[in-house]
Amino acid sequence: MRVTKAIKQQMLALLEETYQDTTTALTYTTPFELLIAVILSAQCTDVRVNIITGRMFPKYSTPEKILELGQSGLEEQIRDCGLYHSKAKNIIATCTMLCEQYQGQVPDSIEELVKLPGVGRKTANVVVSQLFHIPAIAVDTHVFRVANRLQLAKGKTPLEVEKGLMKAIPRDKWSDAHHWLIWHGRKVCKARKPECTVCCLCELCPSALLQEQQK
DNA sequence: CTCCCGATAT
DNA sequence: ATATCAGGAG
């Protein structure tokens, strides 16, 4: 079954209807806090990131305060989100750069953001869309999986999927669509056990049929 | 490509 | 036991 442009538009309309009120699940009160939360969210659930930042941000919520913690102090704070050694190292280096080159402010462009250690394309896309309302589609593990299953955008790499989604989705919906796909991936189109029977797109999804045949 | 990595669901 | 979780660096 071929997923036509018309089918993609139907999928997007259904996703919008179902997930219209969704937004980021990460809790933050400042641009800097969002940046740190997104860096911590690599290979870790947002729920766990919120537990960590919930106890860390009240005491350490600026680059200066984090630098006071130091490498080992920061590792202690973020230990249970995994990858803690490299995340702590990157966050320290990012805080140093923010203080020395960006007046302690979070940069507002993808080009500047990806210069920060621990910030790749996915994190930069989240930050510019969330903080500066720049249309962007951050392709994380959920968006990558869901887009490929629906064939909204096929690709072997996150960047390929990002480009495909940008073609399939009107620019003014990019940031919203990112959240529709995230929440759909979390709640329904899960990596291990996708719940196709309750999926709002089961009639349109090329992968749902495949699973029926496998049973 | 591999490595980083603890907590959780299955 | 093992796959997975808002990835990025070397």
Side-chain angles (χ1 to χ4, degrees):
Chain A
M1 136 175 191
R2 202 174 94 80
V3 178
T4 63
K5 180 78 177 174
I7 292 179
K8 290 182 184 180
Q9 288 175 351
Q10 287 181 52
M11 288 176 171
L12 291 166
L14 285 166
L15 284 167
E16 177 167 24
E17 189 182 330
T18 309
Y19 301 103
Q20 55 182 326
D21 295 323
T22 54
T23 180
T24 179
L26 298 171
T27 54
Y28 66 98
T29 61
T30 65
F32 177 73
E33 287 188 2
L34 177 69
L35 176 64
I36 298 305
V38 181
I39 292 175
L40 290 175
S41 70
Q43 294 295 292
C44 176
T45 61
D46 57 318
V47 175
R48 181 139 302 277
V49 173
N50 288 336
I51 292 172
I52 290 167
T53 55
R55 65 188 179 218
M56 182 168 79
F57 285 161
K59 289 186 177 180
Y60 311 98
S61 62
T62 65
E64 293 82 1
K65 289 287 184 185
I66 301 252
L67 287 173
E68 286 176 24
L69 268 175
Q71 171 85 25
S72 59
L74 181 55
E75 283 184 8
E76 189 181 333
Q77 291 286 323
I78 69 173
R79 174 135 10 233
D80 43 352
C81 74
L83 311 181
Y84 62 88
H85 184 73
S86 46
K87 285 178 183 173
K89 183 182 167 191
N90 286 331
I91 289 172
I92 295 282
T94 281
C95 288
T96 302
M97 278 185 69
L98 288 179
C99 290
E100 293 180 351
Q101 301 178 35
Y102 296 94
Q103 293 78 46
Q105 299 296 113
V106 177
D108 60 359
S109 74
I110 292 181
E111 304 86 86
E112 293 300 314
L113 281 162
V114 294
K115 292 179 183 174
L116 300 171
V119 179
R121 184 165 185 87
K122 178 260 165 180
T123 299
N125 272 323
V126 171
V127 170
V128 295
S129 70
Q130 190 74 28
L131 294 182
F132 307 112
H133 309 290
I134 297 170
I137 304 175
V139 178
D140 57 56
T141 180
H142 294 302
V143 174
F144 184 80
R145 179 182 68 250
V146 174
N148 272 304
R149 280 183 179 166
L150 290 172
Q151 289 183 29
L152 258 178
K154 287 185 274 190
K156 298 189 184 91
T157 67
L159 187 58
E160 285 174 24
V161 170
E162 182 182 335
K163 289 179 177 173
L165 288 174
M166 288 193 292
K167 279 190 177 181
I169 303 169
R171 178 182 288 263
D172 64 322
K173 299 283 188 182
W174 285 357
S175 297
D176 287 338
H178 157 72
H179 286 116
W180 307 338
L181 293 170
I182 291 252
W183 282 93
H184 189 60
R186 270 204 204 130
K187 301 294 184 185
V188 181
C189 195
K190 298 185 260 189
R192 281 202 186 181
K193 205 184 76 175
E195 299 183 14
C196 301
T197 55
V198 300
C199 178
C200 60
L201 302 173
C202 63
E203 304 283 327
L204 301 172
C205 180
S207 303
L209 190 62
L210 208 68
Q211 286 172 0
E212 291 297 324
Q213 288 171 346
Q214 282 175 353
K215 281 183 182 175

